[in-house]
Amino acid sequence: MIISMKLHATREAIDEVRKQVEFFGYKVHSIEGEERVVIGVVGVGDVTACFESVEAMPQVEKVVRISAPYKFVSKEFRTGRTRIKINGTAGAEFGGDDFVVIAGPCSVESEKQIMQSAEGVAKAGAKLLRGGAFKPRTSPYDFQGMEQEGLKLLQKAKKATGLGIVTEVMSDRDVELIAEYADVMQVGARNMQNFVLLKALGKCGRPVLLKRGLSSTVKELLMSAEYITAHGNPEVILCERGIRTFETVTRNTCDIAAIPALQELTHLPVILDPSHATGKRSLVPALSRAGVAIGADGLIVEVHPAPEKAISDGAQSLDLVQFAKMMSELRPYVALWQEARKLETAAVAQ
Ligand code: PEP
Ligand code: MN
């Protein structure tokens, strides 16, 4: 942070600013010109509080923030990509040399439904199975999920197929229970700024899939990831899932540029959810291709053995045949993706 004092600021005013900055835990380095004093602020402290306090002080002309408010997740903290290995699966790793696909139904509905989904998506090449057991629904009258029974079904599907499990956690009270079953803890769009939950996930011992909020900016998404890392968990995977705009043809508006924009700002893996981003199964394959082409680290796709019977999000779910077709059509794109990653890794190593 750099503080520029007004021309001919008094010694008292400069000393007041210096004291205030030190009060917030920072060190001060000032440059004293003939007419103007510029104060450099370094160290670790409550940057927002310090910024706002100093900005309001008399004889301060301007305060400029130099480093990003998110530290651990920023590229300044780590230049290479963070690789996140998923426990107990056939080598799934986000941020590495493979494009990782998570697939499965919106909600866990029954043993038959989840077992069929798991077997089908595994055969088509997915590495992780998704399925909500705790569901955030807009209406309190809609299906709220099978809860622990659903978690047990996911565990059974994992045993049968070797797929890692991705499932949503909505409350800090459920973190411990869900962490017993999940390989990746999903934070849904509606909970991106549930700060109590984010803090609890800092201690959960599992990677977190953090979805972008419906009306959240890229920087707010990074601040939420910072909560999890600052509380002890560096394994956060970010997810673009569309944002709310005036457009109604699609359920949400996919901010595809957010993916490379995030990759410029953070070392964390970034994946795309083409299902919630569009709300329409016919658009999912094209958007998935775009996700591969733009350099996302993977996809999370909704797939259901009988989408017309799905209890939630049937309209955006592919059936197993459609998913297998999409996966095979993605193959040449994924091959190019892998080439590009290899070149990048070689360039970084030089
Ligand atoms: C989901 O993954 O089923 C879900 C509820 O997604 P989102 O939080 O992105 O709406
Ligand atoms: Mn869904």
Side-chain angles (χ1 to χ4, degrees):
M1 197 160 79
I2 290 181
I3 303 160
S4 179
M5 300 298 295
K6 286 192 176 149
L7 284 181
H8 309 294
T10 61
R11 180 50 50 198
E12 291 73 35
I14 297 165
D15 285 344
E16 274 307 306
V17 170
R18 178 190 283 271
K19 261 194 248 158
Q20 190 66 354
V21 168
E22 285 169 351
F23 168 77
F24 282 104
Y26 291 100
K27 287 201 163 57
V28 162
H29 295 280
S30 46
I31 305 162
E32 313 228 347
E34 290 273 299
E35 298 178 320
R36 192 190 299 275
V37 171
V38 174
I39 300 170
V41 176
V42 291
V44 181
D46 185 339
V47 68
T48 306
C50 183
F51 184 98
E52 285 173 4
S53 156
V54 170
E55 202 178 30
M57 291 179 82
Q59 300 188 35
V60 167
E61 184 156 275
K62 203 170 174 190
V63 187
V64 182
R65 231 156 151 161
I66 302 297
S67 59
Y70 36 87
K71 290 194 184 304
F72 296 125
V73 306
S74 83
K75 271 269 167 76
E76 289 165 27
F77 184 75
R78 177 189 283 178
T79 46
R81 292 179 192 274
T82 285
R83 291 175 175 234
I84 302 179
K85 253 200 159 69
I86 310 302
N87 261 342
T89 55
E93 184 183 54
F94 290 91
D97 304 327
D98 287 316
F99 186 80
V100 183
V101 177
I102 307 168
C106 180
S107 310
V108 181
E109 297 168 3
S110 69
E111 177 164 351
K112 189 172 161 214
Q113 174 247 18
I114 201 67
M115 295 306 275
Q116 279 183 353
S117 304
E119 276 152 20
V121 302
K123 213 164 123 198
K127 287 275 167 64
L128 295 104
L129 175 68
R130 62 150 292 148
F134 292 80
K135 292 302 300 178
R137 303 306 300 279
T138 301
S139 164
Y141 307 116
D142 288 346
F143 176 60
Q144 304 286 304
M146 291 179 78
E147 304 191 343
Q148 192 166 4
E149 206 187 324
L151 296 175
K152 288 187 175 151
L153 294 178
L154 286 167
Q155 192 176 42
K156 201 163 176 193
K158 176 180 176 171
K159 272 209 183 107
T161 57
L163 293 171
I165 298 300
V166 183
T167 196
E168 179 157 354
V169 54
M170 294 200 296
S171 158
D172 56 305
R173 291 188 306 264
D174 301 328
V175 167
E176 221 173 297
L177 171 73
I178 296 175
E180 278 177 41
Y181 297 88
D183 296 298
V184 178
M185 310 280 279
Q186 177 177 328
V187 177
R190 289 155 192 82
N191 268 313
M192 190 201 86
Q193 289 189 318
N194 179 342
F195 301 118
V196 178
L197 174 62
L198 300 179
K199 286 183 199 176
L201 288 167
K203 308 264 177 292
C204 74
R206 295 269 179 279
V208 175
L209 172 61
L210 179 64
K211 299 185 91 176
R212 181 178 180 180
L214 277 75
S215 311
S216 298
T217 65
V218 159
K219 291 201 172 160
E220 285 163 347
L221 173 60
L222 289 171
M223 288 310 291
S224 291
E226 184 79 6
Y227 259 90
I228 302 168
T229 52
H231 283 84
N233 185 355
E235 300 200 309
V236 182
I237 302 152
L238 304 172
C239 179
E240 166 60 36
R241 46 78 72 207
I243 49 176
R244 183 161 286 186
T245 69
F246 52 82
E247 183 55 73
T248 54
V249 165
T250 46
R251 180 180 179 183
N252 291 291
T253 298
C254 180
D255 183 7
I256 194 82
I259 294 168
L262 277 163
Q263 289 168 332
E264 269 185 13
L265 298 170
T266 181
H267 50 84
L268 296 174
V270 185
I271 69 169
L272 171 66
D273 175 343
S275 311
H276 292 85
T278 58
K280 283 187 180 159
R281 91 171 53 90
S282 64
L283 302 177
V284 169
L287 194 52
S288 298
R289 283 197 298 279
V292 182
I294 211 158
D297 291 283
L299 299 173
I300 177 164
V301 186
E302 284 190 340
V303 180
H304 194 288
E308 68 287 355
K309 294 196 187 127
I311 300 179
S312 59
D313 287 351
Q316 66 194 33
S317 300
L318 301 175
D319 66 23
L320 292 167
V321 174
Q322 290 161 342
F323 179 66
K325 182 166 180 274
M326 180 182 97
M327 289 294 277
S328 92
E329 286 170 359
L330 278 180
R331 237 162 256 147
Y333 294 84
V334 172
L336 283 175
W337 182 101
Q338 282 168 327
E339 265 321 294
R341 274 290 158 102
K342 247 189 239 157
L343 290 175
E344 181 195 287
T345 312
V348 170
Q350 270 175 9

